[in-house]
Amino acid sequence: MPEPEPFALAYQDSCSGPTVLFIHGFPLNSSLWEPQMEDLNDTARLLAPDLRGYGLSPAGEGPYSMEMLAGDCLDLLDTLGVQPPIVLCGHSMGGYIAFEFLRRFPKVVAGLVLVATRAAADTPETRENRDRMVEQVREEGPAALSAAMLPKLMAPENYENDDKLVAFVREMIDSASVNGIAGALEAMKERPDSTPLLPEIDVPTLVIHGEEDAIVPLAEAEGMCEAIPDAEMVVIPNAGHLPNLEGALQFNEALWDYLETLKEEKEQR
C-alpha cells in the first residue's frame, strides 16, 4: 500500500486578537509568563518561547549575541506562520532582545511592552561581574547563580514570605544550562546602548516596573519611559524585578488594557 502524501492540518486560533511574543529574562524560561498565559489567552494569541539554553530549548553553538537571540525570535514567528505586526513583551534581558528586534525588524512590531528592563548598556563594573559570573557557573553550576540572584529578584517581603514563588523561580534558574547562562551573559555584556533608540520608537509602548526593583531602579525606568514618545508607565507596588509574578493581577490588568487599546486603535483606522 503506498505511503500517504504529507499534508498540513487546518487549525483554529484561540482568538482574533494581536499576537504577543513574550521574551523571558535572565536566567529564567518561558514559565515566567504562566500567569499571563493562563489569564490573557482569550485576549490575544500568546507565544512564549524558551530562549537558547533555557527551559526545553537546546543551548546551540556560542557565542550568543542580541542579534542572534532576536533572529531566533523572528525565526519562530516565521516557522509558526505568524502574520505581522506583533506586540513584543520583553522582561529584563528580554527587553534588551526586544530593543534589538525593533532595530532590525521595525515593520514587524506594532506595540512594545518593556518589563523590568533598561535601555543603557552595561557599565564596566557590570561587565566584569558578568565575566566572574560565567566563571562561577562553569565551576559550580546554575545553583550558584540562583543562590546569588534570588534575593535580588523579588521585593524583600516576597522573598522572605512567599516560599512557593521562591521555589518556582529557583527551579527555573537551576534548570538552565551552563552554556545557555554563559551565552546570555556574553550577549548582555556586549549589547549596544539602546538609549539613542528610545526617541525613535514609534509604536505604543507600555513600561511596567516593580516599585521595589533592586536590579533596575524605578527612577531609571521612569527616565526610559519619558524618552519614548508614545509611552505609558505602570508601577506595580510590593514587587521587585518580577512584577508579572509578584503582582500578577495588576500586571495582567495593565497588559489587558494596553492590548484592548491597541485593538480599538486598529479598528478605528
Short mmCIF file of all heavy atoms in Angstrom, two decimals, residues 79-136:
data_model
loop_
_atom_site.label_atom_id
_atom_site.label_comp_id
_atom_site.label_asym_id
_atom_site.label_seq_id
_atom_site.Cartn_x
_atom_site.Cartn_y
_atom_site.Cartn_z
N THR A 79 8.34 30.32 11.43
CA THR A 79 8.03 28.89 11.47
C THR A 79 6.55 28.65 11.79
O THR A 79 5.92 27.75 11.23
CB THR A 79 8.91 28.19 12.53
OG1 THR A 79 10.28 28.33 12.18
CG2 THR A 79 8.55 26.71 12.64
N LEU A 80 6.00 29.48 12.67
CA LEU A 80 4.61 29.33 13.06
C LEU A 80 3.65 30.03 12.10
O LEU A 80 2.43 29.94 12.27
CB LEU A 80 4.40 29.87 14.48
CG LEU A 80 5.16 29.14 15.59
CD1 LEU A 80 4.93 29.83 16.93
CD2 LEU A 80 4.73 27.69 15.66
N GLY A 81 4.20 30.72 11.11
CA GLY A 81 3.35 31.41 10.16
C GLY A 81 2.60 32.59 10.74
O GLY A 81 1.51 32.94 10.29
N VAL A 82 3.19 33.22 11.75
CA VAL A 82 2.55 34.38 12.38
C VAL A 82 2.62 35.57 11.44
O VAL A 82 3.69 35.93 10.94
CB VAL A 82 3.24 34.72 13.71
CG1 VAL A 82 2.67 36.01 14.29
CG2 VAL A 82 3.06 33.57 14.70
N GLN A 83 1.48 36.20 11.22
CA GLN A 83 1.43 37.37 10.35
C GLN A 83 1.71 38.63 11.18
O GLN A 83 1.03 38.91 12.15
CB GLN A 83 0.05 37.48 9.69
CG GLN A 83 -0.26 36.35 8.73
CD GLN A 83 0.72 36.31 7.56
OE1 GLN A 83 1.00 37.33 6.94
NE2 GLN A 83 1.22 35.13 7.26
N PRO A 84 2.73 39.40 10.78
CA PRO A 84 2.99 40.64 11.49
C PRO A 84 1.93 41.70 11.14
O PRO A 84 1.19 41.51 10.17
CB PRO A 84 4.38 41.04 10.97
CG PRO A 84 4.47 40.43 9.62
CD PRO A 84 3.68 39.15 9.69
N PRO A 85 1.86 42.77 11.95
CA PRO A 85 2.77 43.08 13.05
C PRO A 85 2.33 42.44 14.35
O PRO A 85 1.18 42.02 14.49
CB PRO A 85 2.69 44.62 13.13
CG PRO A 85 1.30 44.93 12.70
CD PRO A 85 0.97 43.92 11.63
N ILE A 86 3.26 42.39 15.30
CA ILE A 86 3.02 41.74 16.59
C ILE A 86 3.32 42.72 17.72
O ILE A 86 3.87 43.81 17.50
CB ILE A 86 3.90 40.49 16.76
CG1 ILE A 86 5.39 40.89 16.84
CG2 ILE A 86 3.66 39.49 15.64
CD1 ILE A 86 6.28 39.84 17.42
N VAL A 87 2.99 42.30 18.93
CA VAL A 87 3.37 43.03 20.15
C VAL A 87 4.53 42.28 20.79
O VAL A 87 4.44 41.06 21.01
CB VAL A 87 2.20 43.14 21.13
CG1 VAL A 87 2.65 43.78 22.45
CG2 VAL A 87 1.06 43.95 20.51
N LEU A 88 5.60 42.98 21.09
CA LEU A 88 6.74 42.41 21.81
C LEU A 88 6.63 42.74 23.28
O LEU A 88 6.42 43.90 23.64
CB LEU A 88 8.06 42.98 21.28
CG LEU A 88 8.63 42.47 19.96
CD1 LEU A 88 9.92 43.24 19.65
CD2 LEU A 88 8.91 40.99 20.02
N CYS A 89 6.78 41.74 24.13
CA CYS A 89 6.78 41.95 25.57
C CYS A 89 8.05 41.32 26.14
O CYS A 89 8.16 40.10 26.21
CB CYS A 89 5.54 41.34 26.22
SG CYS A 89 5.46 41.55 28.02
N GLY A 90 9.02 42.15 26.53
CA GLY A 90 10.30 41.64 27.00
C GLY A 90 10.57 41.98 28.44
O GLY A 90 10.42 43.14 28.86
N HIS A 91 10.97 40.96 29.20
CA HIS A 91 11.32 41.14 30.61
C HIS A 91 12.83 41.17 30.77
O HIS A 91 13.52 40.24 30.35
CB HIS A 91 10.75 39.99 31.45
CG HIS A 91 11.30 39.95 32.85
ND1 HIS A 91 12.35 39.12 33.21
CD2 HIS A 91 10.98 40.66 33.96
CE1 HIS A 91 12.63 39.31 34.50
NE2 HIS A 91 11.82 40.23 34.97
N SER A 92 13.38 42.24 31.35
CA SER A 92 14.80 42.33 31.69
C SER A 92 15.66 42.05 30.45
O SER A 92 15.64 42.83 29.50
CB SER A 92 15.11 41.38 32.85
OG SER A 92 16.35 41.66 33.42
N MET A 93 16.40 40.95 30.40
CA MET A 93 17.15 40.62 29.20
C MET A 93 16.24 40.53 27.99
O MET A 93 16.63 40.86 26.86
CB MET A 93 17.91 39.30 29.38
CG MET A 93 18.72 38.88 28.16
SD MET A 93 19.59 37.30 28.34
CE MET A 93 18.22 36.14 28.29
N GLY A 94 15.01 40.08 28.19
CA GLY A 94 14.05 40.04 27.10
C GLY A 94 13.77 41.42 26.54
O GLY A 94 13.45 41.57 25.36
N GLY A 95 13.89 42.45 27.39
CA GLY A 95 13.76 43.82 26.91
C GLY A 95 14.93 44.21 26.02
O GLY A 95 14.75 44.90 25.01
N TYR A 96 16.14 43.74 26.37
CA TYR A 96 17.30 44.01 25.52
C TYR A 96 17.09 43.37 24.13
O TYR A 96 17.44 43.96 23.11
CB TYR A 96 18.58 43.44 26.13
CG TYR A 96 18.85 43.80 27.57
CD1 TYR A 96 19.65 42.98 28.37
CD2 TYR A 96 18.32 44.94 28.15
CE1 TYR A 96 19.92 43.29 29.68
CE2 TYR A 96 18.58 45.25 29.47
CZ TYR A 96 19.38 44.43 30.24
OH TYR A 96 19.65 44.73 31.55
N ILE A 97 16.55 42.17 24.15
CA ILE A 97 16.29 41.48 22.88
C ILE A 97 15.21 42.22 22.10
O ILE A 97 15.29 42.36 20.87
CB ILE A 97 15.89 40.02 23.14
CG1 ILE A 97 17.03 39.26 23.83
CG2 ILE A 97 15.49 39.32 21.84
CD1 ILE A 97 16.64 37.89 24.35
N ALA A 98 14.19 42.71 22.81
CA ALA A 98 13.12 43.45 22.15
C ALA A 98 13.66 44.71 21.47
O ALA A 98 13.26 45.04 20.35
CB ALA A 98 12.03 43.82 23.16
N PHE A 99 14.58 45.42 22.13
CA PHE A 99 15.19 46.60 21.52
C PHE A 99 15.92 46.21 20.23
O PHE A 99 15.82 46.89 19.21
CB PHE A 99 16.16 47.26 22.48
CG PHE A 99 15.51 48.07 23.56
CD1 PHE A 99 15.94 47.96 24.88
CD2 PHE A 99 14.50 48.96 23.28
CE1 PHE A 99 15.35 48.72 25.89
CE2 PHE A 99 13.89 49.72 24.28
CZ PHE A 99 14.33 49.60 25.59
N GLU A 100 16.67 45.11 20.29
CA GLU A 100 17.41 44.66 19.11
C GLU A 100 16.46 44.23 17.99
O GLU A 100 16.69 44.53 16.81
CB GLU A 100 18.35 43.51 19.48
CG GLU A 100 19.26 43.06 18.36
CD GLU A 100 20.21 44.15 17.89
OE1 GLU A 100 20.63 44.98 18.73
OE2 GLU A 100 20.51 44.19 16.68
N PHE A 101 15.39 43.55 18.37
CA PHE A 101 14.37 43.13 17.40
C PHE A 101 13.78 44.36 16.72
O PHE A 101 13.61 44.39 15.49
CB PHE A 101 13.28 42.33 18.12
CG PHE A 101 12.33 41.60 17.22
CD1 PHE A 101 12.43 40.24 17.04
CD2 PHE A 101 11.32 42.29 16.55
CE1 PHE A 101 11.55 39.55 16.21
CE2 PHE A 101 10.43 41.62 15.72
CZ PHE A 101 10.55 40.25 15.54
N LEU A 102 13.48 45.38 17.50
CA LEU A 102 12.89 46.60 16.97
C LEU A 102 13.85 47.31 16.02
O LEU A 102 13.44 47.86 14.99
CB LEU A 102 12.49 47.52 18.12
CG LEU A 102 11.65 48.75 17.77
CD1 LEU A 102 10.33 48.35 17.12
CD2 LEU A 102 11.39 49.57 19.03
N ARG A 103 15.13 47.30 16.35
CA ARG A 103 16.13 47.90 15.48
C ARG A 103 16.20 47.18 14.13
O ARG A 103 16.31 47.81 13.08
CB ARG A 103 17.52 47.87 16.13
CG ARG A 103 17.93 49.13 16.84
CD ARG A 103 19.40 49.10 17.22
NE ARG A 103 19.68 48.07 18.20
CZ ARG A 103 19.68 48.27 19.52
NH1 ARG A 103 19.39 49.46 20.01
NH2 ARG A 103 19.95 47.29 20.35
N ARG A 104 16.16 45.86 14.18
CA ARG A 104 16.39 45.06 12.98
C ARG A 104 15.11 44.83 12.17
O ARG A 104 15.16 44.74 10.95
CB ARG A 104 17.00 43.71 13.36
CG ARG A 104 18.34 43.80 14.05
CD ARG A 104 18.92 42.42 14.28
NE ARG A 104 19.25 41.74 13.04
CZ ARG A 104 19.38 40.43 12.93
NH1 ARG A 104 19.18 39.65 13.98
NH2 ARG A 104 19.69 39.89 11.77
N PHE A 105 13.98 44.69 12.86
CA PHE A 105 12.74 44.32 12.18
C PHE A 105 11.59 45.26 12.57
O PHE A 105 10.55 44.81 13.08
CB PHE A 105 12.36 42.87 12.51
CG PHE A 105 13.51 41.91 12.52
CD1 PHE A 105 13.91 41.29 13.69
CD2 PHE A 105 14.22 41.64 11.36
CE1 PHE A 105 14.97 40.39 13.71
CE2 PHE A 105 15.29 40.75 11.36
CZ PHE A 105 15.67 40.13 12.54
N PRO A 106 11.75 46.56 12.36
CA PRO A 106 10.75 47.51 12.87
C PRO A 106 9.35 47.31 12.29
O PRO A 106 8.35 47.56 12.97
CB PRO A 106 11.33 48.87 12.45
CG PRO A 106 12.26 48.58 11.32
CD PRO A 106 12.84 47.23 11.62
N LYS A 107 9.25 46.83 11.05
CA LYS A 107 7.94 46.67 10.42
C LYS A 107 7.15 45.51 11.01
O LYS A 107 5.95 45.39 10.76
CB LYS A 107 8.10 46.49 8.92
CG LYS A 107 8.65 47.73 8.21
CD LYS A 107 8.74 47.52 6.71
CE LYS A 107 9.28 48.76 6.02
NZ LYS A 107 9.38 48.58 4.54
N VAL A 108 7.83 44.66 11.78
CA VAL A 108 7.15 43.50 12.37
C VAL A 108 6.45 43.89 13.68
O VAL A 108 5.59 43.16 14.16
CB VAL A 108 8.17 42.36 12.62
CG1 VAL A 108 7.51 41.14 13.24
CG2 VAL A 108 8.86 41.98 11.31
N VAL A 109 6.79 45.04 14.24
CA VAL A 109 6.36 45.40 15.59
C VAL A 109 5.25 46.44 15.56
O VAL A 109 5.40 47.52 14.98
CB VAL A 109 7.55 45.94 16.42
CG1 VAL A 109 7.11 46.23 17.86
CG2 VAL A 109 8.70 44.93 16.41
N ALA A 110 4.12 46.11 16.23
CA ALA A 110 3.00 47.04 16.35
C ALA A 110 2.92 47.65 17.74
O ALA A 110 2.25 48.66 17.95
CB ALA A 110 1.69 46.34 16.02
N GLY A 111 3.55 47.02 18.71
CA GLY A 111 3.50 47.50 20.08
C GLY A 111 4.64 46.92 20.88
O GLY A 111 5.21 45.88 20.52
N LEU A 112 4.97 47.60 21.97
CA LEU A 112 6.13 47.22 22.77
C LEU A 112 5.78 47.31 24.25
O LEU A 112 5.24 48.32 24.70
CB LEU A 112 7.29 48.16 22.44
CG LEU A 112 8.65 47.90 23.08
CD1 LEU A 112 9.22 46.57 22.63
CD2 LEU A 112 9.62 49.03 22.72
N VAL A 113 6.08 46.24 24.98
CA VAL A 113 5.89 46.22 26.43
C VAL A 113 7.24 45.91 27.06
O VAL A 113 7.83 44.86 26.79
CB VAL A 113 4.84 45.17 26.86
CG1 VAL A 113 4.63 45.24 28.37
CG2 VAL A 113 3.52 45.39 26.12
N LEU A 114 7.73 46.82 27.87
CA LEU A 114 9.05 46.71 28.49
C LEU A 114 8.87 46.48 29.98
O LEU A 114 8.34 47.33 30.69
CB LEU A 114 9.86 47.99 28.23
CG LEU A 114 10.11 48.32 26.75
CD1 LEU A 114 10.71 49.71 26.63
CD2 LEU A 114 11.03 47.27 26.13
N VAL A 115 9.33 45.33 30.44
CA VAL A 115 9.09 44.91 31.82
C VAL A 115 10.42 44.80 32.56
O VAL A 115 11.30 44.02 32.16
CB VAL A 115 8.37 43.54 31.87
CG1 VAL A 115 8.06 43.15 33.31
CG2 VAL A 115 7.11 43.56 31.01
N ALA A 116 10.58 45.59 33.61
CA ALA A 116 11.75 45.47 34.48
C ALA A 116 13.05 45.47 33.67
O ALA A 116 13.93 44.64 33.89
CB ALA A 116 11.66 44.22 35.35
N THR A 117 13.17 46.40 32.75
CA THR A 117 14.35 46.43 31.89
C THR A 117 14.92 47.83 31.80
O THR A 117 14.35 48.78 32.32
CB THR A 117 14.00 45.87 30.49
OG1 THR A 117 15.19 45.59 29.77
CG2 THR A 117 13.12 46.84 29.70
N ARG A 118 16.04 47.95 31.11
CA ARG A 118 16.69 49.24 30.92
C ARG A 118 17.18 49.36 29.49
O ARG A 118 17.38 48.36 28.80
CB ARG A 118 17.86 49.42 31.89
CG ARG A 118 18.91 48.32 31.80
CD ARG A 118 20.24 48.70 32.47
NE ARG A 118 20.14 49.26 33.79
CZ ARG A 118 20.34 48.60 34.93
NH1 ARG A 118 20.66 47.30 34.89
NH2 ARG A 118 20.25 49.20 36.09
N ALA A 119 17.44 50.60 29.07
CA ALA A 119 17.94 50.84 27.72
C ALA A 119 19.45 50.94 27.68
O ALA A 119 20.07 50.63 26.66
CB ALA A 119 17.33 52.13 27.16
N ALA A 120 20.08 51.36 28.77
CA ALA A 120 21.52 51.60 28.79
C ALA A 120 22.31 50.30 28.68
O ALA A 120 21.85 49.23 29.09
CB ALA A 120 21.91 52.33 30.08
N ALA A 121 23.50 50.42 28.13
CA ALA A 121 24.41 49.27 28.05
C ALA A 121 25.05 49.03 29.42
O ALA A 121 24.89 49.83 30.36
CB ALA A 121 25.50 49.55 27.00
N ASP A 122 25.77 47.94 29.54
CA ASP A 122 26.45 47.62 30.80
C ASP A 122 27.55 48.63 31.12
O ASP A 122 28.25 49.12 30.23
CB ASP A 122 27.11 46.22 30.71
CG ASP A 122 26.13 45.11 30.97
OD1 ASP A 122 24.96 45.38 31.29
OD2 ASP A 122 26.54 43.93 30.86
N THR A 123 27.70 48.88 32.39
CA THR A 123 28.84 49.66 32.86
C THR A 123 30.06 48.75 32.90
O THR A 123 29.94 47.52 32.88
CB THR A 123 28.58 50.21 34.27
OG1 THR A 123 28.45 49.08 35.18
CG2 THR A 123 27.31 51.05 34.31
N PRO A 124 31.28 49.31 32.95
CA PRO A 124 32.47 48.47 33.07
C PRO A 124 32.41 47.53 34.27
O PRO A 124 32.83 46.36 34.17
CB PRO A 124 33.61 49.48 33.21
CG PRO A 124 33.10 50.70 32.48
CD PRO A 124 31.63 50.74 32.77
N GLU A 125 31.89 48.00 35.38
CA GLU A 125 31.78 47.15 36.57
C GLU A 125 30.83 45.98 36.32
O GLU A 125 31.12 44.84 36.71
CB GLU A 125 31.28 47.98 37.76
CG GLU A 125 31.14 47.17 39.05
CD GLU A 125 30.59 47.99 40.19
OE1 GLU A 125 30.27 49.17 39.97
OE2 GLU A 125 30.47 47.45 41.30
N THR A 126 29.70 46.24 35.67
CA THR A 126 28.75 45.17 35.39
C THR A 126 29.34 44.16 34.43
O THR A 126 29.14 42.94 34.57
CB THR A 126 27.46 45.75 34.80
OG1 THR A 126 26.89 46.68 35.73
CG2 THR A 126 26.43 44.66 34.53
N ARG A 127 30.10 44.63 33.45
CA ARG A 127 30.74 43.72 32.50
C ARG A 127 31.71 42.78 33.23
O ARG A 127 31.76 41.57 32.95
CB ARG A 127 31.48 44.51 31.43
CG ARG A 127 30.56 45.23 30.45
CD ARG A 127 31.32 46.25 29.60
NE ARG A 127 32.35 45.61 28.79
CZ ARG A 127 32.16 45.15 27.57
NH1 ARG A 127 30.97 45.26 27.00
NH2 ARG A 127 33.15 44.59 26.88
N GLU A 128 32.46 43.31 34.17
CA GLU A 128 33.39 42.48 34.95
C GLU A 128 32.62 41.47 35.79
O GLU A 128 33.03 40.31 35.92
CB GLU A 128 34.26 43.37 35.84
CG GLU A 128 35.25 44.23 35.08
CD GLU A 128 36.04 45.15 36.00
OE1 GLU A 128 35.84 45.08 37.24
OE2 GLU A 128 36.86 45.93 35.49
N ASN A 129 31.49 41.91 36.37
CA ASN A 129 30.68 40.99 37.17
C ASN A 129 30.13 39.85 36.32
O ASN A 129 30.04 38.71 36.78
CB ASN A 129 29.53 41.75 37.83
CG ASN A 129 29.97 42.64 38.96
OD1 ASN A 129 31.05 42.44 39.54
ND2 ASN A 129 29.17 43.65 39.28
N ARG A 130 29.78 40.14 35.08
CA ARG A 130 29.26 39.09 34.21
C ARG A 130 30.36 38.06 33.91
O ARG A 130 30.10 36.86 33.87
CB ARG A 130 28.70 39.69 32.92
CG ARG A 130 27.48 40.58 33.13
CD ARG A 130 26.69 40.72 31.86
NE ARG A 130 25.72 41.81 31.90
CZ ARG A 130 24.54 41.78 32.50
NH1 ARG A 130 24.16 40.69 33.15
NH2 ARG A 130 23.72 42.83 32.46
N ASP A 131 31.57 38.52 33.69
CA ASP A 131 32.69 37.59 33.45
C ASP A 131 32.91 36.69 34.67
O ASP A 131 33.13 35.47 34.52
CB ASP A 131 33.96 38.37 33.14
CG ASP A 131 33.94 39.01 31.76
OD1 ASP A 131 33.17 38.53 30.90
OD2 ASP A 131 34.68 39.98 31.55
N ARG A 132 32.85 37.28 35.84
CA ARG A 132 33.02 36.48 37.06
C ARG A 132 31.88 35.48 37.21
O ARG A 132 32.09 34.34 37.66
CB ARG A 132 33.10 37.39 38.29
CG ARG A 132 34.43 38.12 38.44
CD ARG A 132 34.57 38.71 39.82
NE ARG A 132 33.65 39.85 40.00
CZ ARG A 132 33.97 41.11 39.74
NH1 ARG A 132 35.16 41.42 39.28
NH2 ARG A 132 33.09 42.08 39.95
N MET A 133 30.68 35.89 36.84
CA MET A 133 29.53 35.00 36.95
C MET A 133 29.67 33.80 36.01
O MET A 133 29.33 32.67 36.38
CB MET A 133 28.25 35.79 36.63
CG MET A 133 26.97 35.12 37.09
SD MET A 133 25.50 36.15 36.76
CE MET A 133 25.83 37.55 37.84
N VAL A 134 30.20 34.04 34.82
CA VAL A 134 30.43 32.93 33.89
C VAL A 134 31.38 31.91 34.50
O VAL A 134 31.14 30.70 34.47
CB VAL A 134 30.98 33.45 32.54
CG1 VAL A 134 31.46 32.28 31.68
CG2 VAL A 134 29.92 34.25 31.79
N GLU A 135 32.47 32.39 35.06
CA GLU A 135 33.45 31.50 35.68
C GLU A 135 32.82 30.71 36.82
O GLU A 135 33.04 29.50 36.96
CB GLU A 135 34.64 32.31 36.19
CG GLU A 135 35.46 32.97 35.08
CD GLU A 135 36.58 33.82 35.63
OE1 GLU A 135 36.77 33.82 36.88
OE2 GLU A 135 37.29 34.48 34.85
N GLN A 136 32.04 31.39 37.66
CA GLN A 136 31.43 30.72 38.81
C GLN A 136 30.45 29.64 38.37
O GLN A 136 30.44 28.53 38.92
CB GLN A 136 30.72 31.75 39.69
CG GLN A 136 30.14 31.13 40.97
CD GLN A 136 29.44 32.15 41.85
OE1 GLN A 136 29.07 33.24 41.39
NE2 GLN A 136 29.26 31.84 43.12
#
